Amino acid sequence: MTAIPSFTGDANPYGGGDPYADYRTADFPFARYANLADRRLGAGVVAANDEFFAQRENLLVPERAEFDPEHFGHKGKIMDGWETRRRRGASADHPWPTAEDHDWALVRLGAPGVIRGIVVDTAHFRGNYPQAVSVEGTSLPGSPSPEELLGDDVKWTTLVPRTPVGGHAANGFEVSLRQRFTHLRLNQHPDGGIARLRVHGEVVPDPGWLEALGTFDVVALENGGRAEDASNLFYSPASNTIQPGRSRKMDDGWETRRRRDQGHDWIRYRLVSQARIRALEIDTAYLKGNSAGWASVSVRDGEDGEWREILPRTRLQPDTNHRFVLPAPAVGTHARVDIFPDGGISRLRLFGSLTQEGTSRLVARHQELGG
């Protein structure tokens, strides 16, 4: 199951200098999908059986784990991750944990969806990482409590079977199940520490909720939109532009490298489903000396549809939210923002509602995936 089997095994003790110098990772194809366990989407670690050395909430911190070799507290070394105490056996005759002993953490995904791959990152856990990990998923309506998630009537589906992992490494696992999940159970066998958890996949929204909203942002990540491709990802991912809320700092948007030619940059999006767009926003928050100079927006209906410009090339101001009401609704399944000549935007919002055909497609997919 592991995407980096050669990395399974011990890590060397920290020897000084850059703590990431001997960090082991790989290019995971599934990492192009959004992180469904992103705090910005509303993800959270709702419970854990033990977090003696390091808090469970660290698992979902968006930044990479940091390491300070001199940082100690009353309970021991302060680690940037989730770390449990050492498990012991039942008696002096049997001081070792049993094969079934393990620690667990319950994770609520920020947006329900189909999981394409999972990264269990043990950065800086060199002699205190778990021997193996496993991951299970379930799909429950509403906002279940930890007690409800741990109930005997909850059905958990194995996404990653018990698999050895390496210390100080990004351990990646592809997931082939095509089901919709709302919560995960991360298990470490028998104990130890994990720095970060990333859950890459596609958002599958609740059609009933979107129908109740009526008009909503049809490209937003939390509603099922997706950034499919972009001309340049030098400074930040294109998916930042459809994250919830306004950008909080410059790297919370999308910024390209400086062009030295006569071209321009762009992002292509897939909408939640076929939609009728009535208004849009292009926000350049925190992009002050590097915002895009001009932007245009186009839509197409279907994979082979023709691109139709719905917002002509328009001058943008730095650190500003620009709002546009369309003269007539535009129907489409995909959108594209083109920026001229380079720079960045922080958010794109496309406000509209699903067409009857779009609603039918979304309902069918939701049912097919067990929603």
Side-chain angles (χ1 to χ4, degrees):
M1 279 294 297
T2 180
I4 49 170
S6 61
F7 293 169
T8 297
D10 293 333
N12 293 323
Y14 175 62
D18 179 7
Y20 272 103
D22 59 342
Y23 176 69
R24 298 168 294 176
T25 187
D27 291 326
F28 305 119
F30 54 74
R32 64 188 178 91
Y33 293 98
N35 177 19
L36 303 183
D38 194 320
R39 285 286 303 173
R40 291 174 294 180
L41 282 176
V45 187
V46 300
N49 71 308
D50 187 291
E51 48 185 331
F52 186 86
F53 288 112
Q55 298 173 336
R56 65 182 191 260
E57 287 86 358
N58 289 332
L59 284 170
L60 305 188
V61 172
E63 294 80 20
R64 71 176 188 171
E66 298 299 329
F67 180 73
D68 180 354
E70 304 299 326
H71 195 189
F72 285 83
H74 293 295
K75 293 183 178 180
K77 181 72 185 72
I78 304 297
M79 295 295 292
D80 186 5
W82 169 50
E83 186 181 3
T84 65
R85 71 191 77 199
R86 300 187 187 214
R87 281 186 170 269
R88 298 299 187 225
S91 67
D93 291 333
H94 298 280
W96 308 279
T98 70
E100 291 75 30
D101 284 344
H102 68 279
D103 292 317
W104 52 263
L106 299 177
V107 177
R108 178 190 65 245
L109 296 180
V114 174
I115 298 169
R116 298 284 187 167
I118 296 173
V119 176
V120 178
D121 191 345
T122 58
H124 314 303
F125 288 94
R126 297 169 178 267
N128 50 351
Y129 61 94
Q131 180 184 34
V133 300
S134 60
V135 183
E136 303 161 279
T138 191
S139 183
L140 294 177
S143 303
S145 67
E147 292 75 20
E148 290 170 320
L149 287 166
L150 295 171
D152 294 336
D153 58 335
V154 175
K155 178 185 176 183
W156 291 92
T157 300
T158 299
L159 304 179
V160 178
R162 181 170 175 168
T163 307
V165 293
H168 196 45
N171 300 275
F173 305 91
E174 293 182 349
V175 178
S176 58
L177 287 173
R178 293 299 172 258
Q179 293 177 233
R180 180 181 185 266
F181 294 100
T182 61
H183 294 76
L184 299 186
R185 178 169 170 150
L186 171 63
N187 305 303
Q188 49 178 339
H189 308 267
D191 54 34
I194 297 169
R196 297 288 188 267
L197 175 71
R198 306 295 188 225
V199 183
H200 297 280
E202 303 169 66
V203 176
V204 181
D206 180 356
W209 172 251
L210 297 183
E211 182 181 8
L213 292 179
T215 296
F216 59 93
D217 183 359
V218 298
V219 75
L221 182 58
E222 61 186 326
N223 293 332
R226 189 164 85 238
E228 288 192 318
D229 199 6
S231 60
N232 187 273
L233 302 172
F234 189 83
Y235 287 110
S236 45
S239 59
N240 279 355
T241 61
I242 53 175
Q243 289 280 3
R246 295 199 71 197
S247 177
R248 297 169 297 173
K249 50 195 175 84
M250 192 174 71
D251 66 351
D252 195 16
W254 170 63
E255 183 188 357
T256 70
R257 71 176 74 200
R258 299 190 187 207
R259 278 189 172 268
R260 304 306 187 200
D261 58 21
Q262 300 300 305
H264 73 282
D265 290 312
W266 51 267
I267 306 175
R268 187 181 74 241
Y269 304 89
R270 178 185 293 272
L271 310 184
V272 55
S273 194
Q274 188 188 63
R276 188 174 288 106
I277 303 166
R278 300 183 181 87
L280 62 92
E281 291 182 355
I282 301 176
D283 195 353
T284 58
Y286 290 96
L287 295 161
K288 298 179 179 180
N290 49 359
S291 65
W294 292 261
S296 64
V297 178
S298 304
V299 300
R300 75 180 184 197
D301 192 23
E303 297 289 347
D304 301 320
E306 294 288 331
W307 288 106
R308 307 183 315 280
E309 193 173 69
I310 62 173
L311 178 73
R313 193 179 304 184
T314 301
R315 188 74 168 94
L316 299 182
Q317 300 300 322
D319 197 26
T320 301
N321 191 25
H322 309 76
R323 291 178 170 174
F324 307 94
V325 176
L326 300 184
V331 174
T333 58
H334 296 72
R336 192 185 71 223
V337 60
D338 294 273
I339 63 170
F340 303 87
D342 56 19
I345 62 173
S346 62
R347 295 291 187 269
L348 174 71
R349 306 295 190 208
L350 302 178
F351 297 104
S353 56
L354 297 184
T355 64
Q356 185 174 354
E357 181 179 344
T359 299
S360 298
R361 291 178 186 173
L362 188 62
V363 168
R365 184 166 186 250
H366 188 260
Q367 293 174 343
E368 177 187 353
L369 298 172

